[in-house]
Structure formats: C-alpha cells, structure tokens
C-alpha cells in the first residue's frame, strides 16, 4: 500500500528543492558556452524573452496541473483520458534513461573532487581524462571492459540518490535541498569573488558585457536561448509537476514559479562571470586564445579547468575542490529530482511503498549505468545524450503542451493559478 500523501512542510523546502532540480550541470558548464557562442551580452535579450515566453509559462502549467490533481503524471494523464497514460510512461522512461547517464557524469566529477586536492590529473589533463579516468576506446570490444574507478563512483552516486529518495519527502529531498543549496551558493560566491581578483579576469567577464547586436537577427541565437531554458529548467521532465503535487493548500503558485525561474537564471549568469574570469586568467597566463578555452560539457570541467588550476598556484588547492564540489552538489540535487517523478508514478500506480520503489528503481538504474563504466562508455553516453536530449525530451515537451493546452481544459489551469497567487 502507498503511504499517506506527502506534503512539503514549508515553502522554503519546496522552493529550494525546485531550484535544486533546475540548478545542475547545464548551469555550470553548458550556459557559459551558449552565452559566448550566441552574441555575448546581447544574448541576454532572447534569453530573458525565453524565460517569460517559455520558462515561466511552462513551469506554471506544470505547477497548476500538479497542484490541481495532487497525483503523479501517470495518474494525472490517466484521469484526463486512459489513452493518454502511455504518454506519461514515455516521458518517465526518457527521464529515467537520462538519469542513468547523468549519474555517470556526476560520478566522473566525484573522481575529480578527490583528484583536485593534489592536482592528481598531472601535467596533461586531456590525456589523463581520456586514458586514466575513462579508459576510452573507439573499439566495440571496449563495451566488455569495465573501468573500476568509474563503476565505483557511479555506485556511490546511485547509493546517495537511493538513500535520499527512499526517505519521507521532507526528511529526504526537502532536508538535503535545504542543506546543499545554501552551501552551493556560498561556494559559488566564493569562487566568483576570487576569480574577479585574478590577473586577466577582465578578459573574460567583458565578454558578457560586450554585446554583438547583429546576433539578435540570427534565428539560431533565439533557438539557442529557448533550448537553454528547456535544458536549464528541466522542462517536460515532470519534476515541477511532481513537486507541485506535494504543495499544501494556500500555496502561491505564480509567485513560486517566478522565484524559481529567476533564481535558476541568476545562478547561471552569476556563475558564468566566475567561469569567464578564470578563463580570462588562463588566456593571460598561457597565451591560449579565449575562444579556444570556452567549450561545454566534460571538456570544460575535466580538461580546461584542471589546466587552469595547474597554472593557478597554491590557491588552486582550495578553488579546485570547491569547483568540483559545486558540480557534485548541483548534480546530486538534480539526480534526486529526476528520480522522484519516476518513483512517485510507479509507487502510485502499483501501490508500492516509497522505500521499495526507490530501491528497485535505483538497482535497475545502476545496472543500466554500468554500460557507461566501460571503455566504450563515453561514446555510448554521447549517443544517449544526443538522442534523448535533442529529440526524445523535446518530443515529450511537445506532447505535454498539446495535452494540457488543447486536450485538457486550459481555462481550469488558469483559474487554479489565479486562485493561488499574489501575482
């Protein structure tokens, strides 16, 4: 049997959990590259427009649906129409598969948390990441070669996720979010503050202050802004819908959505100032052009930044661990959010208690994640990421828009939002 319906015990618990679900790897290593590649400072115009037109709007839909039905996405779509329930399980399956490789990337970061105290990546971080961490190979036979350090780190992240998700809502996700988010913010402020004092910092942060106005006429720049909002706010993953279903009566939906959206965006813009400042320092000290340093994904986190820390001196023994711990905290809060919607739907559908559901889901997830702990793991991960994020997830967003915009009575959602908002 399922337990009594859980509710957030405070507004701050909900808001911090929502911000934690949004603040992830995309904020730290994806946004700086998107910002730089799409006009620098001028990119903020389409970015802000996309926050209002897509970000806040879609989050409001998910909040209204979750709050109105007080059920999981699977049960919500079943209630609207039995024929729509498979759509919910498609969305949840996509989210679950994304989680399996997301955990792997967070596992790589866990390895670098340990390495960062001694700069264990050596003088050639690029070679170290490929050969010593990933043991990457292009051969198909690489799938049969387990990389022990990656496998252990993946297990640790899955264990942490299981330990949090199996607990009661406020003792698990709520408490962890209330601890990790403030710590994450403190560390980011410390890193950005230090980065601004580095020689050459202005080479980096002026990139944000120097707009390329011609970029505003490029449709791809606008698409990049909307794509970043989808990625950054985890739209279409049923996270906001699930978390909103736990809200008690009297909650302020629109107010909360605005706070979460702008907190998430403020974090990634503020973080980019620090990232760019540190890369500006690297440009000054190494002579490497700035545009060659600004990349996204694992290349920025596990190759470029170790190179920066190698040239930074004693301060790197503090800033390095802080940087990788920030990624770790952001990754963990995102992983538990991704899992919550999956666990909640399974638990509600099959009347299984929370702890058992979390255990089964995490065991199955770990088994799938072992594929990424092989010599061919990084290649397979790239294939998963390309298909799931660039096609499957966007298709899921489209389906949700059609269902809640056209099939369901959208006026009912507007009524719910107006009734539970100051705005």
């Amino acid at each position: 049997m399922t337990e009594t319906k859980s509710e957030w015990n405070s507004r701050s618990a909900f808001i911090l959990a929502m911000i934690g679900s949004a603040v992830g790897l995309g904020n730290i290593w994806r946004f700086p590259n998107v910002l730089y590649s799409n006009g620098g400072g001028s990119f903020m115009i389409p970015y802000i427009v996309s926050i209002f037109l897509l970000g806040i709007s879609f989050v409001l839909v998910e909040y209204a649906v979750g709050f109105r039905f007080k059920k999981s996405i699977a049960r919500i779509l079943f209630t609207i129409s039995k024929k729509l329930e498979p759509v919910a399980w498609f969305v949840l399956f996509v989210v679950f598969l994304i989680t399996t490789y997301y955990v792997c990337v967070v596992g790589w970061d866990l390895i670098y948390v340990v390495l960062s105290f001694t700069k264990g990546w050596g003088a050639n971080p690029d070679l170290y990441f490929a050969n010593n961490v990933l043991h990457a190979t292009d051969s198909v036979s690489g799938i049969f070669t387990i990389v022990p350090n990656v496998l252990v780190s993946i297990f640790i992240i899955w264990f942490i996720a299981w330990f949090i998700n199996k607990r009661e809502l406020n003792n698990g996700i709520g408490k962890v979010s209330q601890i990790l988010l403030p710590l994450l913010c403190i560390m980011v402020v410390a890193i950005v503050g230090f980065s601004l004092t580095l020689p050459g910092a202005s080479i980096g942060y002026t990139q944000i202050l120097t707009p390329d106005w011609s970029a505003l006429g490029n449709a791809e720049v606008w698409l990049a802004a909307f794509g970043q909002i989808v990625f950054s706010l985890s739209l279409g993953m049923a996270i906001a819908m699930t978390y909103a279903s736990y809200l008690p009566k009297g909650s302020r939906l629109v107010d909360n959505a605005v706070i979460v959206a702008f907190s998430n965006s403020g974090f990634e813009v503020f973080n980019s100032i620090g990232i760019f400042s540190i890369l500006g320092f690297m440009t000054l000290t190494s002579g490497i052009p700035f545009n060659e340093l600004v990349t996204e994904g694992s290349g920025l986190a596990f190759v470029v930044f170790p190179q920066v820390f190698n040239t930074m001196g004693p301060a790197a023994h503090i800033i390095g661990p802080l940087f990788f711990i920030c990624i770790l905290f952001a990754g963990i809060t995102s992983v538990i959010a991704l899992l919550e919607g999956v666990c909640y739907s399974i638990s509600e559908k099959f009347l299984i208690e929370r702890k058992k559901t979390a255990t089964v889901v995490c065991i199955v997830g770990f088994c799938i994640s072992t594929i990424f702990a092989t010599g061919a793991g990084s290649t397979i991960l790239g294939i998963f990421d390309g298909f799931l994020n660039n096609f499957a997830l966007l298709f899921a967003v489209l389906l949700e828009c059609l269902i809640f915009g056209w099939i369901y009575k959208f006026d009912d959602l507007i009524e719910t939002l107006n009734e539970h908002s100051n705005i």
Side-chain angles (χ1 to χ4, degrees):
M1 292 289 293
T2 53
E3 305 102 286
T4 304
K5 174 70 177 180
S6 299
E7 285 190 353
W8 298 108
N9 58 14
S10 68
R11 184 186 185 191
S12 64
F14 167 72
I15 290 177
L16 288 175
M18 275 302 309
I19 295 173
S21 71
V23 171
L25 306 184
N27 302 72
I28 296 175
W29 69 30
R30 187 179 191 270
F31 181 75
N33 177 264
V34 173
L35 173 62
Y36 178 77
S37 302
N38 291 281
S42 59
F43 178 73
M44 295 307 299
I45 294 176
Y47 179 69
I48 292 173
V49 170
S50 66
I51 291 174
F52 282 99
L53 289 186
L54 177 62
I56 294 176
S57 301
F58 199 93
V59 169
L60 283 176
V61 170
E62 292 206 62
Y63 277 12
V65 172
F67 185 80
R68 187 177 183 86
F69 284 87
K70 298 288 186 181
K71 298 176 181 177
S72 66
I73 183 175
R75 184 59 63 182
I76 289 171
L77 295 193
F78 177 83
T79 302
I80 295 173
S81 172
K82 294 181 180 179
K83 296 179 180 179
L84 293 177
E85 187 179 6
V87 174
W89 293 109
F90 166 74
V91 172
L92 293 170
F93 183 64
V94 170
V95 170
F96 179 63
L97 289 181
I98 289 174
T99 309
T100 61
Y101 72 77
Y102 194 94
V103 164
C104 178
V105 178
V106 180
W108 294 346
D109 177 74
L110 180 61
I111 294 172
Y112 273 77
V113 170
V114 178
L115 293 173
S116 62
F117 289 96
T118 60
K119 299 182 185 179
W121 46 72
N124 193 332
D126 191 359
L127 197 64
Y128 185 89
F129 181 57
N131 294 346
N132 295 67
V133 176
L134 302 182
H135 294 269
T137 175
D138 294 329
S139 173
V140 178
S141 61
I143 198 172
F144 300 107
T145 305
I146 293 292
V147 183
N149 57 337
V150 175
L151 184 64
V152 170
S153 64
I154 286 175
F155 174 80
I156 292 173
I157 301 302
W158 271 114
F159 180 82
I160 293 172
W162 168 78
F163 185 77
I164 296 170
N165 282 85
K166 76 181 180 69
R167 303 171 73 85
E168 189 272 331
L169 180 69
N170 292 291
N171 291 331
I173 295 174
K175 184 174 291 185
V176 168
S177 299
Q178 289 176 309
I179 294 173
L180 294 191
L181 257 294
L183 287 176
L184 175 60
C185 291
I186 291 170
M187 288 188 289
V188 168
V189 169
I191 292 173
V192 173
F194 173 80
S195 69
L196 292 173
T197 67
L198 292 171
S202 60
I203 298 174
Y205 67 70
T206 52
Q207 301 293 330
I208 301 176
L209 304 176
T210 307
D212 175 12
W213 298 114
S214 64
L216 294 179
N218 188 341
E220 292 184 1
V221 171
W222 290 84
L223 288 174
F226 281 86
Q228 175 62 25
I229 291 300
V230 171
F231 190 90
S232 181
L233 284 175
S234 303
L235 303 183
M237 294 185 176
I239 294 173
M241 196 182 303
T242 300
Y243 280 3
S245 73
Y246 300 138
L247 282 170
K249 293 181 179 180
S251 298
R252 297 297 170 212
L253 302 182
V254 177
D255 311 48
N256 291 340
V258 172
I259 292 172
V260 170
F262 279 100
S263 296
N264 171 72
S265 297
F267 177 91
E268 59 187 10
V269 172
F270 184 72
N271 176 73
S272 293
I273 295 173
I275 299 285
F276 281 16
S277 297
I278 293 174
L279 296 182
F281 163 78
M282 183 66 174
T283 295
L284 180 66
T285 56
S286 68
I288 301 175
F290 188 85
N291 65 315
E292 293 182 14
L293 293 174
V294 184
T295 181
E296 69 173 300
S298 58
L300 177 64
F302 305 132
V303 177
V304 175
F305 265 82
Q307 290 174 344
V308 174
F309 298 140
N310 281 348
T311 64
M312 192 174 283
H317 293 290
I318 298 175
I319 299 300
L322 283 180
F323 174 75
F324 289 110
I325 290 173
C326 281
I327 296 177
L328 180 65
F329 284 3
I332 288 174
T333 55
S334 295
V335 167
I336 60 178
L338 290 167
L339 286 175
E340 179 62 19
V342 177
C343 291
Y344 182 28
S345 290
I346 293 175
S347 181
E348 192 174 55
K349 172 70 175 179
F350 300 102
L351 303 180
I352 306 173
E353 65 178 4
R354 184 184 187 92
K355 185 175 181 179
K356 290 181 180 178
T357 304
T359 301
V360 172
V361 168
C362 288
I363 289 174
V364 174
F366 171 72
C367 291
I368 296 175
S369 293
T370 57
I371 299 172
F372 309 116
T374 64
S378 58
T379 301
I380 299 172
L381 190 151
I383 296 171
F384 266 60
D385 183 52
F387 175 75
L388 293 173
N389 265 311
N390 297 333
F391 173 72
L393 183 58
L394 293 180
F395 184 58
V397 170
L398 175 63
L399 290 177
E400 288 183 46
C401 286
L402 292 174
I403 291 170
F404 298 118
W406 288 1
I407 298 176
Y408 184 70
K409 297 178 182 178
F410 194 73
D411 287 344
D412 290 349
L413 299 183
I414 295 176
E415 180 182 337
T416 299
L417 291 172
N418 287 334
E419 185 181 346
H420 296 89
S421 303
N422 287 323
I423 301 174

